[in-house]
Amino acid sequence: MSLRRLFRTPEAVAGFAILGCLVLMVLLAPVLFPRDPLSIAGAPLLRPFQDWALPLGTDRLGRDVLAGLFHGARTSLAVGLAAAAASILVGSVIGTVAGFAGGLVDEALMRITDAFQTVPGFLLSLALVSVVGPSLGVVVVAISLSAWTGPARIARAEVLSIRERDYVASARVIGMHPIEIAFREILPNALPPVLALSSVIVAAAILTEAALSFLGLGDPNRVTWGGMIAEGRAVLRSAPFLSIIPGIALVLAVLGVYLAGEGIVESAATRRGNA
């Protein structure tokens, strides 16, 4: 996929522009704001642009809103990427095993997938974090548990269509082990449709992490956008910027991930149509 073809789509241009800003925030956060973002930086409830040393003001405890915004981007991106990677890895393995093995193995794995799909993803994440305790790792695992079913079903469908092709039959004839055939010959060819779900999973993971943090179930040692929105809820009338600023950042991040994913899918579809 050429960059020229990719950036012909307005969705990709907008999405990657937003993602570029998000990545810059992540990289520059420890440089521009080396202090602990949870430390007190000034007088409480300073309004934006009232003090140019604290351009976006401070919260109820006097913490720098701009520093929290930059460090919160690190948490959101880390959770989104880690949850997407774990979900795609688990889903691809389960879908490949189910589609290649067939029979009782396929039936059992698909019923387990159905069981996970019957529970709303956010409720599953909420229950796990409530029981185990809030931390970044637990949040990633909780989100992944509710997101792997989509990749699993797509991987299974792709494997079912690939496993009878000639090159797979040739691999059986020459004596390759079934596991080697499944994960070396079939899975790489089944991955592209699965990877197309990445943007959706990342966006959903960012929103879920923010919702958990808003409810007080995020990592207490990290600044999160959801936690910043919850912090501003108590003074919403007198200082609405405390919730509005991280809320806008959250919307833009999710929109950027989604638009970038749409741009990649549209560019890939255009390439296949021209082939």
Side-chain angles (χ1 to χ4, degrees):
M1 182 187 302
S2 68
L3 291 177
R4 182 178 300 177
R5 183 185 294 114
L6 176 62
F7 286 106
R8 283 179 183 172
T9 60
E11 295 92 344
V13 173
F16 280 102
I18 296 173
L19 286 182
C21 293
L22 184 63
V23 171
L24 278 177
M25 290 175 67
V26 171
L27 296 176
L28 293 177
V31 177
L32 298 178
F33 306 100
R35 294 179 56 189
D36 183 357
L38 295 174
S39 63
I40 296 175
L45 294 179
L46 283 177
R47 294 185 174 277
F49 312 118
Q50 185 176 344
D51 183 352
W52 287 104
L54 302 164
L56 292 184
T58 58
D59 64 7
R60 292 187 303 163
L61 298 178
R63 296 174 294 196
D64 188 353
V65 174
L66 185 59
L69 204 64
F70 271 67
H71 283 272
R74 303 180 74 188
T75 303
S76 294
L77 195 60
V79 168
L81 294 178
S87 302
I88 289 173
L89 177 63
V90 173
S92 298
V93 171
I94 291 176
T96 300
V97 172
F100 187 74
L104 291 176
V105 174
D106 183 19
E107 188 70 19
L109 290 176
M110 286 302 99
R111 296 296 74 79
I112 293 173
T113 303
D114 291 340
F116 273 90
Q117 284 188 312
T118 58
V119 182
F122 179 71
L123 291 183
L124 183 61
S125 302
L126 184 64
L128 182 62
V129 174
S130 299
V131 171
V132 179
S135 69
L136 199 63
V138 173
V139 169
V140 170
V141 171
I143 295 171
S144 302
L145 278 178
S146 62
W148 65 267
T149 55
R153 288 197 171 278
I154 292 178
R156 174 182 177 270
E158 290 295 312
V159 170
L160 287 174
S161 68
I162 292 173
R163 70 180 184 177
E164 302 302 330
R165 294 183 182 177
D166 291 341
Y167 70 88
V168 178
S170 300
R172 289 193 181 100
V173 169
I174 64 175
M176 288 183 66
H177 194 279
I179 294 178
E180 190 177 4
I181 295 173
F183 291 100
R184 183 176 176 182
E185 301 294 332
I186 295 178
L187 180 57
N189 294 300
L191 270 181
V194 178
L195 294 176
L197 284 177
S198 299
S199 61
V200 177
I201 297 174
V202 171
I206 291 174
L207 284 175
T208 302
E209 185 278 326
L212 291 172
S213 297
F214 181 82
L215 295 175
L217 294 174
D219 191 331
N221 299 315
R222 290 177 177 266
V223 177
T224 64
W225 288 342
M228 293 175 69
I229 295 172
E231 172 67 23
R233 180 178 53 179
V235 288
L236 194 58
R237 291 188 178 182
S238 59
F241 67 91
L242 292 179
S243 293
I244 292 174
I245 291 174
I248 291 174
L250 181 63
V251 170
L252 288 177
V254 172
L255 184 63
V257 171
Y258 177 77
L259 289 178
E262 285 293 303
I264 292 173
V265 171
E266 185 176 335
S267 178
T270 302
R271 184 183 63 175
R272 286 195 299 267
N274 294 334

